[in-house]
Amino acid sequence: MIRVAKIHKAETWTGDVTDRVTLDREDRYRRRAVLTGAAGLTFLLDEPMAIHLRHGDGLELEDGRIVEVLAEPEEVVEIHADDTAHLVKIAWHLGNRHLPTQLMGNTLRIRRDHVIEDMVEKLGGRLTRLSAPFDPEGGAYGHGRTHGHDHGHGHSHDHHHGHGHDHGSGHSHD
């Protein structure tokens, strides 16, 4: 089976595309996987460590052909604010909840979550709901992705992430 020889970041490659592979956010975080493009090309991604593929990345195969990575559209909400100060305040509240967030200049993008959407509106944010690719920032400690908290029920818990610090005290997401 033909293998991926090199991964080109979205902003660094140009050229003709042989095929395209559409993956959701979780499927774009991989170490090893057999993938099949829209045109039927099957190939192997086999990396030494798990990597995060982003929308627009180019997977160069051993024979030089390129397969473009596309992020599967997801149910998301784009957040707008009146000014940078309001947007930064909203971003702080999203980060405080460890919520995966895509930074898009003057806009933030998150997955749909009615509890968070309500909070954002109370903070003065304006929401646009749509189906679009979701490519959030990686974690602050060099990890390829972040993990949000579930908001289906009220809960309180202490954190220890094993990366050199504790959050110290429990906090609630009610």
Side-chain angles (χ1 to χ4, degrees), residues 38-85:
L41 178 62
T42 300
F43 56 95
L44 176 65
L45 174 72
D46 188 15
E47 294 294 309
M49 297 180 352
I51 57 159
H52 180 77
L53 300 171
R54 296 200 172 271
H55 182 76
D57 283 354
L59 306 177
E60 183 177 334
L61 304 180
E62 294 169 314
D63 62 5
R65 293 181 291 173
I66 301 281
V67 176
E68 184 178 19
V69 175
L70 301 177
E72 183 175 304
E74 301 182 44
E75 295 305 308
V76 296
V77 60
E78 287 188 355
I79 302 167
H80 310 272
D82 290 335
D83 54 41
T84 303

Side-chain angles (χ1 to χ4, degrees), residues 11-113:
E11 2 6 274
T12 65
W13 70 276
T14 58
D16 294 328
V17 173
T18 299
D19 206 343
R20 289 179 172 84
V21 61
T22 302
L23 305 167
D24 69 18
R25 184 174 72 109
E26 282 75 25
D27 286 339
R28 285 183 282 124
Y29 186 73
R30 292 279 179 226
R31 185 193 79 74
R32 182 178 168 90
V34 174
L35 302 170
T36 302
L41 178 62
T42 300
F43 56 95
L44 176 65
L45 174 72
D46 188 15
E47 294 294 309
M49 297 180 352
I51 57 159
H52 180 77
L53 300 171
R54 296 200 172 271
H55 182 76
D57 283 354
L59 306 177
E60 183 177 334
L61 304 180
E62 294 169 314
D63 62 5
R65 293 181 291 173
I66 301 281
V67 176
E68 184 178 19
V69 175
L70 301 177
E72 183 175 304
E74 301 182 44
E75 295 305 308
V76 296
V77 60
E78 287 188 355
I79 302 167
H80 310 272
D82 290 335
D83 54 41
T84 303
H86 280 101
L87 195 64
V88 168
K89 182 178 180 179
I90 292 167
W92 183 89
H93 282 279
L94 297 174
N96 189 49
R97 286 157 180 80
H98 306 274
L99 197 70
T101 303
Q102 184 174 352
L103 308 177
M104 304 169 58
N106 294 330
T107 304
L108 304 173
R109 184 179 283 174
I110 61 172
R111 280 187 168 152
R112 296 286 316 269
D113 180 322

